[in-house]
Amino acid sequence: MNDRLARAAAALSLVPALGACSASPVNPVLKDPARWPLVKLRGLTDHPKLPDEAERALAQIMVGSQDLLAWIDSSGLCGLSGSGWSMHVDLTKSEGEPEREEGFSGPVEPAVVISSESKVRLVCTPTRMLIRVEGETSHPFVSGDAVAQPVNGGLNAVVGSPEAQQESLPGATVTRGG
């Protein structure tokens, strides 16, 4: 009798574990832009014109011939614009692939990657934006909620809270205003 009870108890203990495995993980923060740490950033008050789909500018990143504006929209858009172009992704419509962009440190988060003209790459997560500009290192400058650092013939920049900046680019040499 004890043997049957032990087997029954063991079988019942597996039921919650099996149920947990069958549910697909949904990141509630990813689906709710109001909870994003990016939304809570101060952002820029003085900036170039925003694209139509943008609501708030978070940072300006300049390097070489690139003058970039990192922005968000409370509907769930995360974007970057430059001279004559703009790109964005809707994080609420994506599951995001857990990753950490090469050249950055910090947590592995659900992220969506987009690029423009193969020279500028943007990785969006709810907590930070990671930006890579290839082939440009001269006169780097950031303003707003960003830091940057020349790395391997290009510039890496992080837009986010001071904690996110420190986590993702701990050796940043380009900080607000210079």
Side-chain angles (χ1 to χ4, degrees):
M1 181 79 169
N2 282 343
D3 189 32
R4 259 196 279 168
L5 284 175
R7 278 188 289 198
L12 286 175
S13 69
L14 288 176
V15 172
L18 292 173
C21 292
S22 64
S24 61
V26 175
N27 185 335
V29 173
L30 194 63
K31 300 300 179 191
D32 184 4
R35 294 176 53 194
W36 294 359
L38 281 177
V39 172
K40 294 171 179 70
L41 296 177
R42 184 178 55 244
L44 294 172
T45 54
D46 185 25
H47 54 77
K49 183 179 180 325
L50 287 168
D52 292 342
E53 57 275 359
E55 186 176 80
R56 286 190 331 119
L58 297 180
Q60 186 171 14
I61 297 108
M62 296 168 37
V63 61
S65 64
Q66 298 291 324
D67 185 356
L68 308 173
L69 190 62
W71 55 266
I72 59 168
D73 186 275
S74 61
S75 68
L77 300 181
C78 168
L80 189 67
S81 59
S83 180
W85 60 268
S86 183
M87 61 180 170
H88 68 273
V89 66
D90 186 340
L91 284 174
T92 65
K93 292 188 172 31
S94 171
E95 292 303 317
E97 292 297 317
E99 71 174 82
R100 179 180 4 183
E101 183 70 359
E102 185 177 331
F104 295 91
S105 55
V108 173
E109 297 182 279
V112 180
V113 180
I114 52 178
S115 50
S116 171
E117 306 167 14
S118 72
K119 192 170 193 162
V120 179
R121 185 173 164 99
L122 170 65
V123 178
C124 290
T125 80
T127 64
R128 67 201 75 211
M129 298 166 74
L130 308 173
I131 299 160
R132 171 72 181 169
V133 180
E134 290 292 341
E136 300 274 3
T137 58
S138 63
H139 309 292
F141 173 88
V142 297
S143 62
D145 295 299
V147 296
Q149 179 171 345
V151 176
N152 295 331
L155 186 78
N156 287 355
V158 176
V159 177
S161 68
E163 296 79 18
Q165 294 171 13
Q166 179 61 31
E167 274 181 342
S168 294
L169 210 54
T173 55
V174 182
T175 58
R176 286 175 260 328

Short mmCIF file of all heavy atoms in Angstrom, two decimals, residues 75-112:
data_model
loop_
_atom_site.label_atom_id
_atom_site.label_comp_id
_atom_site.label_asym_id
_atom_site.label_seq_id
_atom_site.Cartn_x
_atom_site.Cartn_y
_atom_site.Cartn_z
N SER A 75 2.94 53.74 -27.53
CA SER A 75 2.18 52.62 -28.09
C SER A 75 3.04 51.35 -28.13
O SER A 75 2.51 50.26 -28.32
CB SER A 75 1.69 52.95 -29.49
OG SER A 75 2.80 53.03 -30.39
N GLY A 76 4.36 51.49 -28.00
CA GLY A 76 5.24 50.34 -28.02
C GLY A 76 6.34 50.42 -29.06
O GLY A 76 7.06 49.46 -29.27
N LEU A 77 6.47 51.57 -29.72
CA LEU A 77 7.50 51.71 -30.73
C LEU A 77 8.82 52.17 -30.12
O LEU A 77 8.85 53.01 -29.23
CB LEU A 77 7.08 52.73 -31.79
CG LEU A 77 5.82 52.44 -32.57
CD1 LEU A 77 5.58 53.55 -33.60
CD2 LEU A 77 5.88 51.08 -33.24
N CYS A 78 9.89 51.60 -30.63
CA CYS A 78 11.26 51.95 -30.26
C CYS A 78 11.95 52.26 -31.58
O CYS A 78 11.91 51.45 -32.50
CB CYS A 78 11.89 50.74 -29.57
SG CYS A 78 13.67 50.83 -29.35
N GLY A 79 12.55 53.45 -31.71
CA GLY A 79 13.10 53.80 -33.01
C GLY A 79 14.33 54.67 -32.98
O GLY A 79 14.76 55.18 -31.93
N LEU A 80 14.86 54.84 -34.17
CA LEU A 80 16.07 55.62 -34.39
C LEU A 80 15.91 56.31 -35.73
O LEU A 80 15.45 55.69 -36.70
CB LEU A 80 17.29 54.69 -34.40
CG LEU A 80 18.66 55.32 -34.41
CD1 LEU A 80 18.94 56.04 -33.08
CD2 LEU A 80 19.72 54.25 -34.62
N SER A 81 16.25 57.58 -35.80
CA SER A 81 16.17 58.28 -37.07
C SER A 81 17.47 59.02 -37.32
O SER A 81 18.22 59.35 -36.40
CB SER A 81 14.98 59.24 -37.10
OG SER A 81 15.07 60.19 -36.07
N GLY A 82 17.74 59.23 -38.60
CA GLY A 82 18.91 59.96 -39.04
C GLY A 82 18.50 60.90 -40.16
O GLY A 82 17.31 61.10 -40.41
N SER A 83 19.46 61.44 -40.84
CA SER A 83 19.18 62.38 -41.92
C SER A 83 18.49 61.67 -43.08
O SER A 83 19.11 60.87 -43.79
CB SER A 83 20.50 63.01 -42.38
OG SER A 83 20.24 63.92 -43.42
N GLY A 84 17.20 61.91 -43.22
CA GLY A 84 16.45 61.34 -44.34
C GLY A 84 15.95 59.92 -44.16
O GLY A 84 15.42 59.33 -45.09
N TRP A 85 16.11 59.34 -42.99
CA TRP A 85 15.61 57.97 -42.76
C TRP A 85 15.16 57.80 -41.31
O TRP A 85 15.56 58.55 -40.43
CB TRP A 85 16.65 56.91 -43.12
CG TRP A 85 17.94 57.02 -42.34
CD1 TRP A 85 19.06 57.71 -42.70
CD2 TRP A 85 18.23 56.44 -41.06
NE1 TRP A 85 20.02 57.60 -41.72
CE2 TRP A 85 19.54 56.81 -40.71
CE3 TRP A 85 17.51 55.63 -40.19
CZ2 TRP A 85 20.14 56.41 -39.52
CZ3 TRP A 85 18.11 55.25 -39.00
CH2 TRP A 85 19.42 55.63 -38.69
N SER A 86 14.33 56.81 -41.11
CA SER A 86 13.86 56.46 -39.78
C SER A 86 13.55 54.97 -39.77
O SER A 86 13.07 54.43 -40.77
CB SER A 86 12.61 57.26 -39.44
OG SER A 86 12.19 56.97 -38.11
N MET A 87 13.85 54.32 -38.65
CA MET A 87 13.51 52.90 -38.51
C MET A 87 12.94 52.70 -37.11
O MET A 87 13.29 53.42 -36.18
CB MET A 87 14.72 52.02 -38.75
CG MET A 87 15.88 52.22 -37.81
SD MET A 87 17.22 51.09 -38.24
CE MET A 87 18.52 51.72 -37.21
N HIS A 88 12.04 51.72 -37.01
CA HIS A 88 11.46 51.43 -35.70
C HIS A 88 10.92 50.01 -35.69
O HIS A 88 10.76 49.37 -36.72
CB HIS A 88 10.36 52.43 -35.35
CG HIS A 88 9.15 52.29 -36.20
ND1 HIS A 88 9.02 52.94 -37.40
CD2 HIS A 88 8.01 51.59 -36.03
CE1 HIS A 88 7.85 52.65 -37.93
NE2 HIS A 88 7.21 51.82 -37.13
N VAL A 89 10.65 49.56 -34.47
CA VAL A 89 10.06 48.24 -34.26
C VAL A 89 9.00 48.39 -33.17
O VAL A 89 9.14 49.23 -32.29
CB VAL A 89 11.15 47.20 -33.88
CG1 VAL A 89 11.76 47.50 -32.54
CG2 VAL A 89 10.60 45.81 -33.92
N ASP A 90 7.95 47.60 -33.29
CA ASP A 90 6.90 47.59 -32.28
C ASP A 90 7.18 46.41 -31.35
O ASP A 90 6.94 45.26 -31.70
CB ASP A 90 5.52 47.44 -32.93
CG ASP A 90 4.38 47.57 -31.93
OD1 ASP A 90 4.63 47.39 -30.71
OD2 ASP A 90 3.26 47.83 -32.37
N LEU A 91 7.71 46.70 -30.17
CA LEU A 91 8.08 45.65 -29.23
C LEU A 91 6.88 44.88 -28.69
O LEU A 91 7.02 43.74 -28.27
CB LEU A 91 8.88 46.23 -28.07
CG LEU A 91 10.33 46.58 -28.36
CD1 LEU A 91 10.95 47.29 -27.17
CD2 LEU A 91 11.13 45.36 -28.72
N THR A 92 5.70 45.49 -28.70
CA THR A 92 4.53 44.80 -28.17
C THR A 92 4.04 43.70 -29.11
O THR A 92 3.31 42.82 -28.71
CB THR A 92 3.35 45.76 -27.90
OG1 THR A 92 2.90 46.31 -29.14
CG2 THR A 92 3.75 46.85 -26.94
N LYS A 93 4.46 43.76 -30.38
CA LYS A 93 4.03 42.75 -31.35
C LYS A 93 5.11 41.69 -31.58
O LYS A 93 5.01 40.89 -32.48
CB LYS A 93 3.68 43.42 -32.67
CG LYS A 93 2.43 44.27 -32.56
CD LYS A 93 2.00 44.75 -33.90
CE LYS A 93 0.68 45.44 -33.96
NZ LYS A 93 0.20 46.19 -32.87
N SER A 94 6.15 41.72 -30.78
CA SER A 94 7.25 40.79 -30.93
C SER A 94 7.51 40.07 -29.61
O SER A 94 7.36 40.65 -28.55
CB SER A 94 8.51 41.54 -31.35
OG SER A 94 9.62 40.69 -31.29
N GLU A 95 7.88 38.82 -29.70
CA GLU A 95 8.29 38.10 -28.50
C GLU A 95 9.71 38.48 -28.11
O GLU A 95 10.12 38.33 -27.00
CB GLU A 95 8.21 36.58 -28.72
CG GLU A 95 6.79 36.08 -28.87
CD GLU A 95 5.91 36.42 -27.69
OE1 GLU A 95 6.35 36.29 -26.53
OE2 GLU A 95 4.76 36.85 -27.91
N GLY A 96 10.49 38.97 -29.08
CA GLY A 96 11.87 39.32 -28.81
C GLY A 96 12.69 38.07 -28.55
O GLY A 96 12.24 37.15 -27.89
N GLU A 97 13.85 38.01 -29.13
CA GLU A 97 14.76 36.90 -28.91
C GLU A 97 15.71 37.27 -27.78
O GLU A 97 16.34 38.32 -27.84
CB GLU A 97 15.57 36.61 -30.17
CG GLU A 97 14.74 36.07 -31.32
CD GLU A 97 14.11 34.73 -30.98
OE1 GLU A 97 14.79 33.87 -30.39
OE2 GLU A 97 12.93 34.56 -31.31
N PRO A 98 15.81 36.42 -26.75
CA PRO A 98 16.75 36.74 -25.66
C PRO A 98 18.17 36.78 -26.20
O PRO A 98 18.63 35.82 -26.80
CB PRO A 98 16.57 35.58 -24.68
CG PRO A 98 15.25 35.00 -25.02
CD PRO A 98 15.05 35.22 -26.49
N GLU A 99 18.81 37.92 -26.07
CA GLU A 99 20.18 38.05 -26.53
C GLU A 99 20.85 39.25 -25.88
O GLU A 99 20.21 40.07 -25.25
CB GLU A 99 20.23 38.18 -28.06
CG GLU A 99 19.71 39.48 -28.62
CD GLU A 99 19.93 39.57 -30.11
OE1 GLU A 99 19.13 39.01 -30.87
OE2 GLU A 99 20.92 40.21 -30.51
N ARG A 100 22.15 39.30 -26.07
CA ARG A 100 22.94 40.45 -25.67
C ARG A 100 23.79 40.79 -26.89
O ARG A 100 24.51 39.94 -27.40
CB ARG A 100 23.83 40.13 -24.48
CG ARG A 100 24.69 41.31 -24.06
CD ARG A 100 25.55 40.98 -22.90
NE ARG A 100 25.34 39.58 -22.61
CZ ARG A 100 25.87 38.89 -21.63
NH1 ARG A 100 26.64 39.45 -20.81
NH2 ARG A 100 25.64 37.63 -21.44
N GLU A 101 23.68 41.97 -27.35
CA GLU A 101 24.37 42.41 -28.55
C GLU A 101 25.89 42.33 -28.35
O GLU A 101 26.40 42.71 -27.29
CB GLU A 101 23.94 43.83 -28.90
CG GLU A 101 24.51 44.38 -30.16
CD GLU A 101 23.98 43.73 -31.43
OE1 GLU A 101 23.15 42.79 -31.36
OE2 GLU A 101 24.41 44.15 -32.51
N GLU A 102 26.58 41.86 -29.38
CA GLU A 102 28.04 41.78 -29.32
C GLU A 102 28.63 43.17 -29.12
O GLU A 102 28.17 44.15 -29.71
CB GLU A 102 28.57 41.19 -30.63
CG GLU A 102 30.05 40.95 -30.61
CD GLU A 102 30.54 40.30 -31.90
OE1 GLU A 102 29.76 39.57 -32.53
OE2 GLU A 102 31.70 40.54 -32.24
N GLY A 103 29.61 43.27 -28.24
CA GLY A 103 30.25 44.55 -27.94
C GLY A 103 29.64 45.27 -26.75
O GLY A 103 30.12 46.33 -26.37
N PHE A 104 28.57 44.70 -26.19
CA PHE A 104 27.92 45.29 -25.02
C PHE A 104 27.91 44.23 -23.92
O PHE A 104 27.90 43.04 -24.19
CB PHE A 104 26.47 45.68 -25.34
CG PHE A 104 26.36 46.78 -26.36
CD1 PHE A 104 26.24 46.48 -27.71
CD2 PHE A 104 26.35 48.11 -25.98
CE1 PHE A 104 26.13 47.47 -28.66
CE2 PHE A 104 26.23 49.12 -26.92
CZ PHE A 104 26.12 48.80 -28.27
N SER A 105 27.88 44.68 -22.67
CA SER A 105 27.73 43.74 -21.56
C SER A 105 26.35 43.96 -20.96
O SER A 105 25.54 44.69 -21.52
CB SER A 105 28.84 43.96 -20.52
OG SER A 105 28.87 45.29 -20.10
N GLY A 106 26.08 43.29 -19.85
CA GLY A 106 24.79 43.45 -19.21
C GLY A 106 23.91 42.22 -19.39
O GLY A 106 24.36 41.18 -19.85
N PRO A 107 22.63 42.35 -19.05
CA PRO A 107 21.73 41.19 -19.04
C PRO A 107 21.34 40.73 -20.43
O PRO A 107 21.41 41.48 -21.41
CB PRO A 107 20.50 41.72 -18.30
CG PRO A 107 20.50 43.18 -18.59
CD PRO A 107 21.94 43.58 -18.64
N VAL A 108 20.95 39.47 -20.51
CA VAL A 108 20.34 38.93 -21.72
C VAL A 108 18.86 39.21 -21.59
O VAL A 108 18.23 38.81 -20.62
CB VAL A 108 20.63 37.41 -21.84
CG1 VAL A 108 19.86 36.81 -23.00
CG2 VAL A 108 22.12 37.16 -21.97
N GLU A 109 18.30 39.96 -22.55
CA GLU A 109 16.90 40.37 -22.49
C GLU A 109 16.21 40.05 -23.81
O GLU A 109 16.88 39.93 -24.84
CB GLU A 109 16.79 41.88 -22.31
CG GLU A 109 17.36 42.44 -21.06
CD GLU A 109 17.12 43.95 -21.00
OE1 GLU A 109 17.88 44.69 -21.63
OE2 GLU A 109 16.16 44.34 -20.34
N PRO A 110 14.87 39.97 -23.81
CA PRO A 110 14.17 39.86 -25.08
C PRO A 110 14.46 41.12 -25.90
O PRO A 110 14.24 42.23 -25.43
CB PRO A 110 12.69 39.79 -24.69
CG PRO A 110 12.69 39.43 -23.25
CD PRO A 110 13.97 39.93 -22.67
N ALA A 111 15.00 40.95 -27.09
CA ALA A 111 15.44 42.08 -27.90
C ALA A 111 14.99 41.92 -29.34
O ALA A 111 14.83 40.81 -29.83
CB ALA A 111 16.96 42.20 -27.84
N VAL A 112 14.82 43.04 -30.01
CA VAL A 112 14.51 43.06 -31.43
C VAL A 112 15.59 43.89 -32.10
O VAL A 112 15.91 44.99 -31.65
CB VAL A 112 13.11 43.65 -31.70
CG1 VAL A 112 12.82 43.67 -33.18
CG2 VAL A 112 12.05 42.87 -30.95
#
